[in-house]
Amino acid sequence: MRTLKLCIAFLAMSFIVPLQAQTADEILDSYFENTGGLEKWKSIEGMKMTAKVNQQGMEIPLEIIQLSDGRQMTMINFQGKEIKQGVFDGETLWSTNFMTMKAEKSDAEATANFKLNANDFPDSFIDYKEKGYTVELLGKETIDGAETFKIKLVKEPVTIDGKQEEDVSFYFFDTENFVPIAMQSEIKSGQGKGMVQEITMSDYQEVDGVYFPFAMTQGVKGQPGSPLTIESIELNPTVDAAAFAFPDEMEGEKK
């Protein structure tokens, strides 16, 4: 009788475990399927987001443009002025200095690191193996009261102060809907070096058959972040190439 009970228990477990077990690839497959399908995701050539970020109680309008060839920029509307930040034209990375209001190019190291992310649009997990990335399921973790699958993503090494370091981030996928609700990564440079940056995502809405988070918060883990509310998303927008050009280059073309 004892042997029979053990056999029944073993058979019961053999049916339960496969149902509960998940692999990182299965979670990612479910994520893309639940948010529009991988084919739909791959058809995205560009994205323009209109949003507002809350900085210490002040709402600042933003326009964020990202294209599949790596070009991108953020346009900030502050006190009636349009200020470009994080502009990348495919070769040059530049931003507007808030103190001098003049455009400044980033150094070679920052530009090289930025270029590494050019093939991540519209999602780092698309064809990750072909990119040379690796993913690993680390188990489950509770984030803001929600049970999630924790997935580790390792991309190409970045260069920090002349030394190569691993580029590692952790994504937390809701176990019910299989969508990411948080991402964490170590800050590699600047005042926050060594701290953990955390981005939370919620309010997924459909845009042309694909679902995106319309509410995000970015900051340091364990500290209040800056809420970002997306008002609209336009897929495959028409964008003038001159919008990404460094101002000096634009002036040179007019002469």
Side-chain angles (χ1 to χ4, degrees):
M1 182 65 70
R2 178 180 176 81
T3 303
L4 179 59
K5 287 182 179 179
L6 286 173
C7 288
I8 291 173
F10 177 78
L11 285 171
M13 287 299 295
S14 69
F15 283 110
I16 293 171
V17 172
L19 291 174
Q20 293 179 336
Q22 292 281 343
T23 67
D25 283 328
E26 286 172 344
I27 292 167
L28 295 178
D29 287 344
S30 296
Y31 159 51
F32 287 118
E33 184 63 31
N34 290 354
T35 54
L38 192 55
E39 188 174 327
K40 197 81 173 178
W41 274 95
K42 288 185 176 183
S43 70
I44 300 174
E45 295 293 329
M47 186 185 307
K48 180 166 74 173
M49 294 180 283
T50 302
K52 286 184 179 179
V53 64
N54 191 308
Q55 292 276 17
Q56 298 178 341
M58 181 185 297
E59 281 198 334
I60 302 172
L62 304 174
E63 185 177 273
I64 304 165
I65 295 175
Q66 295 177 301
L67 303 178
S68 60
D69 59 9
R71 289 180 296 163
Q72 61 179 276
M73 69 175 172
T74 298
M75 180 82 76
I76 301 172
N77 193 316
F78 184 68
Q79 295 181 343
K81 297 180 180 179
E82 290 189 338
I83 305 169
K84 290 184 178 180
Q85 294 289 299
V87 186
F88 184 61
D89 64 3
E91 291 297 329
T92 302
L93 175 65
W94 62 275
S95 292
T96 303
N97 185 309
F98 279 97
M99 298 296 292
T100 64
M101 294 306 292
K102 292 183 178 180
E104 296 180 354
K105 294 181 181 180
S106 299
D107 61 33
E109 187 173 277
T111 302
N113 288 335
F114 198 90
K115 279 185 177 181
L116 293 176
N117 296 322
N119 62 355
D120 281 354
F121 181 86
D123 193 289
S124 300
F125 290 107
I126 295 176
D127 296 331
Y128 75 87
K129 293 177 183 177
E130 285 78 356
K131 298 172 186 175
Y133 300 172
T134 61
V135 301
E136 180 185 359
L137 176 60
L138 300 181
K140 293 182 178 180
E141 190 167 319
T142 300
I143 299 289
D144 293 332
E147 186 181 55
T148 69
F149 293 112
K150 183 178 182 180
I151 290 183
K152 177 182 179 181
L153 172 66
V154 181
K155 305 198 295 186
E156 308 109 314
V158 293
T159 303
I160 306 296
D161 297 329
K163 298 180 180 179
Q164 282 200 336
E165 294 188 17
E166 268 195 330
D167 187 0
V168 180
S169 50
F170 301 92
Y171 286 77
F172 301 84
F173 288 78
D174 182 278
T175 56
E176 291 185 12
N177 302 305
F178 294 91
V179 295
I181 62 171
M183 188 275 280
Q184 297 174 356
S185 60
E186 182 183 341
I187 299 172
K188 299 289 187 179
S189 59
Q191 293 182 341
K193 184 176 181 179
M195 297 181 179
V196 175
Q197 172 186 253
E198 182 175 61
I199 300 173
T200 61
M201 297 151 276
S202 60
D203 189 23
Y204 276 79
Q205 297 182 33
E206 184 264 338
V207 179
D208 296 342
V210 183
Y211 284 81
F212 300 94
F214 271 63
M216 306 172 75
T217 300
Q218 182 172 345
V220 174
K221 183 181 178 182
Q223 298 181 18
S226 299
L228 176 74
T229 302
I230 297 175
E231 298 177 332
S232 66
I233 295 177
E234 179 185 352
L235 299 184
N236 305 325
T238 300
V239 184
D240 185 355
F244 301 94
F246 189 75
D248 286 351
E249 296 172 7
M250 292 174 67
E251 292 174 6
E253 290 174 1
K254 294 177 181 178
K255 294 177 181 178

